[in-house]
Amino acid sequence: MTSFPWLTTIGLVPTLGAVAVLAAPKTREQAAKSVALGTSLLTLVLTIVACVRYDAGGSRFQLVESHSWIPAFGVRYALGVDGIALSLIALSAVLVPIVILASWWDAEDGERSVRTFFALILVLETMMIGVFAATDVFLFYVFFEAMLIPMYFLIGSYGGAQRSYAAVKFLLYSLFGGLLMLAAVIGLYVVGNQQLAGSIGSFDFQTLVNIHITPGVEKALFLGFFIAFAIKAPLWPFHTWLPDAAAEAPTGAAVLLVGVLDKVGTFGMLRYCLPLFPDASHYFAPVVITLAIIGIFYGALLAMGQPDLKRLVAYTSVAHFGFIALGVFAFTSQAQAGATLYMVNHGFSTGALFLLVGFLIHRRHSRLVGDYGGVQQVAPWLAGAFMVAGLSSLALPGLNSFVSEFLVLVGTFTRYRTAAVIATVGIVLAALYILLVIQRTMHGPLRAGLEHTPDLSLREAWVIAPVLAIIVALGVYPKPLLDVITPSVKATMHDTGTTDPAPKLPVAQEGDK
Amino acid sequence: MSVLASQALAQLAAAPAPSPVPASGSFSLTVWLVLLPLIGAAVLLLSGRRADPWGHLVGVAASVASFLVAVVLFFSLQGHAGDERSIGQHLFSWVPVAGFHVDAGLLLDPLSMAFVLLITGVGSLIHIYSVGYMSHDAGRRRFFGYLNLFVAAMLLLVLADGYLLLYVGWEGVGLASYLLIGFWTFKPTAATAAKKAFVVNRVGDVGLGLAIMLMFATFGTTSFVGVLGNADFVSSGTLTAIGLLLLLGACGKSAQAPLQTWLLDAMEGPTPVSALIHAATMVTAGVYLVVRSGPIFDLAPDARLAVTIVGAVTLSMGALIGCAKDDIKKVLAASTMSQIGYMVLAAGLGPAGYAIAILHLLTHGFFKAGMFLGAGSVMHALDDEVDMRRYGGLRKVMPITFVTFGLGYLAIIGLPPFSGFFSKDKIIEAAFDKGGTSGWVLGTTALVAAGVTAFYMTRLMAMTFFGEARWAKGAHPHEAPSVMTAPMVVLAIGSVCAGGLLVLGGSLQNWLEPVVGQSVEVGAHTISPTVLTLITLLVVGGGVAGGWVVFGRRSIPVTAPAAGPLVVAARRDLYGDAANEALLMRPGQWLTRWLVWFDGRGVDGFVNGLAATIGGGSARLRRWQTGFVRSYALSMFGGAALVVAAVLVVRL
């Protein structure tokens, strides 16, 4: 590998930035924040360059790096991205500077160090990039677990009143899943080792895809990975840590937690569960689809019943993760491309919702829906931004989420018709939970005490405007992203030995004209 | 152009369906129909307060400019032979995924052209009227932004060249109506009505969405050319399913039973919005969808029957509700329900009815917009009073409003030669001509409802413009300024002439023929058209006389008198809301509350309990958190040890 190690560089820059931030003297806190922002912007620029260098029509994994790490077990420091991973790395790289700018004054009030807060966010970025870029299963596991540490401190040190409970709950759930996955990783290694005669074994993703596993073992290993991912995503009924964690986390951390970290779960299902254990994935698909559909309705109904704004947004995400998991396990290229696009889109739409909810809470110092009302009259820009973010969340056509949600549904429809029909009914509930919260907070008569609520500040406008712009752009013209995602999804479909159901009446596609 | 077009046609000659001619020349303007109001909306909504002084002018300009483009395109289209009047404009590749390619492209053909002229023409008049109507509202700029958005979404809906892009316009219309119905967001009733409109529409959207999915699963595409051109090769069961799903979509947008409940509440919006929703946009979308999907419905008689039934039920419900309401806007809203029901009924009759449905849609566009603007003018004069029991005798103080409204009234009850006569009469005739029991039932329903329409519209006229003044104290009604009356006059002229002009020499029928096909001439009419027209006029005359006797000649009590069960039911919208509340809302709220409890106690309680048991009490668990990194490290270490152990086992 003589080429420039793009992925290592992109991953390392934030950590170097974190060291610089921590090294800054306490008196230069403001400068340290600027360093943090600058670092994240540099990471973004590097990511954009990497995206440009990525050839959508090229080989499956690109920008690859591979170095021996633990030779005794064949563990390698191996990085590389396909279209799916690249999209999610891009999502992380875009969200981190936004989160840093949004959190500018958030760590100020507490007793904990401001510098540590920003350093933790940067370290988290390294972990997020690593987890998506790893092509060695062991390395993936290391990032998967290590990712918890900065998030644990972000919630536990800088969160709301119940932060300790939330942080421990988050950690326990994740550790439980992580241990299951570790067992499965080891099991996979053992199985691989038995087949790869004369070698020391391997954790290499592409090598492991090609080994043969006996059905019983495959199912067990699948479950090890899947439960870890289902907790991470989270899928119903593994979701109860999320509302607590997201509600207690500081706004910026909540954006990254739900926007990116949780995607590791659905990403893992698509990247690891399906190609590594295709037969088991098919075997368990009906179960997963059932859980996904329950999640769609359960999340939506609970979102409607939440008095707490942040918990509300967290529950909408449970519903959205249901859609994503449905798309992954529908085994059609439309549904899986939709699910991948959904992961990116959800990062932006839910990210925007968390940010705006954070702005609101900052004004009134209350998370309760009931403490708001009529905000539109005093802060029209804030209300307008909230509306756009909400419409994205309910997948209004013309905005980003619609394309992904429709692809998931139409792709599911061609294989699991009943499931698709039931899931489609969920869009009514999505309209309800979004419009209800908009009505309760933004519309109606102005609540006493809100008369002097300021509208978006310049900094806040700079935070939210790029997200909203992306939401519109990806709704109108998702082609660049889809062009990157589609070949990788096809490769995944190939790994699972699945082809799309043909239409009853094959008609020349418009695209073939 | 013609060379290009004929080349394109020659190339596509082998295709199973007539493909649209690629847009060139003046037709490349098609996209500007949508873009102009869309840009208008973006400018108005993003430029903030500094645009307040001139924002409404931008809004009017955007809509009028779009109308001018429409006129240019109309004449360009007329310059083509009938079967070359289908122009496709490819914009960009929108959703390209393996096996699922959807391009953003527009289709301008006689059907969409008719809608474009109605939307931009009537829409522009409503824009102009709103300059006066909203002149004292602090949110006027925002209002015009939403109006522009509404027009843009509706234009996208009728110009899309495939179902998925149509869906974008479809939900865009839903959004715009949500924003406009709830324009006065500080009113809780307005906010609730807006939300209700969007959510009920979403129920319909589920139908349209599923129809699109079924189309993709069946045809492998969602474009009009691919779906409608190949409908012949698909089993009638599948087509019936698609047809019924499309009908569900149409019911939402067009406020047809059982999704009609949002329409009456939608009166919470400013009155020009009602005119826009009821005449030029939104509720006509369902009729468009059915007519556009004609090739599917042609081959699915069961779906068509369902369409006619929905139409007949809704037109009766609307007429019944219209008789009992005292709120002038709600009477007009109920009449919209009813009139759209007529259109849906006609569209369900298949090739015999498509053109008639569109004819009624166009004439209705004029007279209903005119009457809503007239109602707005009355409200404007009486401090936003909507209760007709507080009106009376207004014909003397508001002569222009009275005359323009009166012409709309004559049009809607179907008196010859006003425009409604031509369209409604034909629908009744076509319904009878369907033949069989269903023809008799549908025809009789349409006929009787025509009489009821005459009754409740006469009631409205009598209570508003005739009789003694029952105005609230301190009211000084006056005629509206000319910026408001001018659009009313134009629409009144349309109410008088549109029907005759569109029917004369079968002009609309001929114009639409390339899209909807030739109207099938029925061999023998069930009832001779002349006789049927006379019967209809008699029934209508009866309705007018009844309305006048009950409401014109007696004095109107200021509070609504007690009434029998039927009137009470009609006053409560035939219990549509009550049914929704009992069947959906309350169980939903109960379920939500129970689930919130369950999530905390059940799922989470189980987990916490487990943790507490294992950890020896949750208190101790919480105390763990300070030193937790240590135990985390421990577990990492344990994991690593496991790895080592495993590897050793394998090695050995």
Side-chain angles (χ1 to χ4, degrees), chain B residues 288-504:
Chain B
Y288 171 80
L289 184 69
V290 174
V291 174
R292 173 60 78 194
S293 311
I296 291 172
F297 284 100
D298 289 349
L299 298 168
D302 292 343
R304 251 185 9 239
L305 181 67
V307 174
T308 55
I309 292 172
V310 164
V313 167
T314 313
L315 76 87
S316 316
M317 285 175 70
L320 212 56
I321 294 172
C323 295
K325 291 286 178 182
D326 290 332
D327 179 331
I328 186 169
K329 286 173 77 179
K330 297 221 165 172
V331 177
L332 290 176
S335 90
T336 301
M337 248 174 82
S338 176
Q339 299 301 310
I340 302 281
Y342 273 102
M343 297 172 212
V344 169
L345 167 60
L349 295 174
Y354 295 140
I356 304 174
I358 301 299
L359 174 67
H360 195 53
L361 195 152
L362 295 174
T363 57
H364 176 259
F366 283 103
F367 61 69
K368 184 53 63 66
M371 285 195 285
F372 261 117
L373 296 189
S377 170
V378 169
M379 288 164 57
H380 203 69
L382 287 170
D383 302 323
D384 288 331
E385 178 63 73
V386 290
D387 187 354
M388 297 192 296
R389 295 183 181 279
R390 286 293 187 175
Y391 292 172
L394 287 169
R395 71 179 187 283
K396 286 175 191 143
V397 285
M398 307 182 70
I400 303 177
T401 304
F402 168 62
V403 171
T404 54
F405 200 107
L407 293 173
Y409 160 75
L410 295 174
I412 194 177
I413 64 170
L415 199 73
F418 298 94
S419 61
F421 163 73
F422 295 95
S423 47
K424 196 185 284 180
D425 207 44
K426 280 210 184 262
I427 293 177
I428 298 172
E429 185 189 316
F432 274 113
D433 285 348
K434 184 174 186 289
T437 319
S438 63
W440 276 98
V441 172
L442 295 171
T444 312
T445 310
L447 178 64
V448 171
V452 181
T453 307
F455 174 80
Y456 71 74
M457 287 308 297
T458 305
R459 172 177 179 267
L460 185 154
M461 285 300 284
M463 288 174 81
T464 305
F465 293 104
F466 293 90
E468 76 283 17
R470 300 176 300 275
W471 314 330
K473 262 184 203 149
H476 301 288
H478 50 273
E479 188 56 272
S482 54
V483 69
M484 288 167 66
T485 51
M488 287 154 58
V489 170
V490 175
L491 289 168
I493 295 171
S495 310
V496 177
C497 311
L501 285 176
L502 290 169
V503 171
L504 217 66

Side-chain angles (χ1 to χ4, degrees), chain A residues 380-400:
Chain A
W381 287 103
L382 176 59
F386 197 85
M387 173 70 79
V388 177
L391 292 174
S392 167
S393 184
L394 65 76
L396 187 87
L399 301 181
N400 58 347

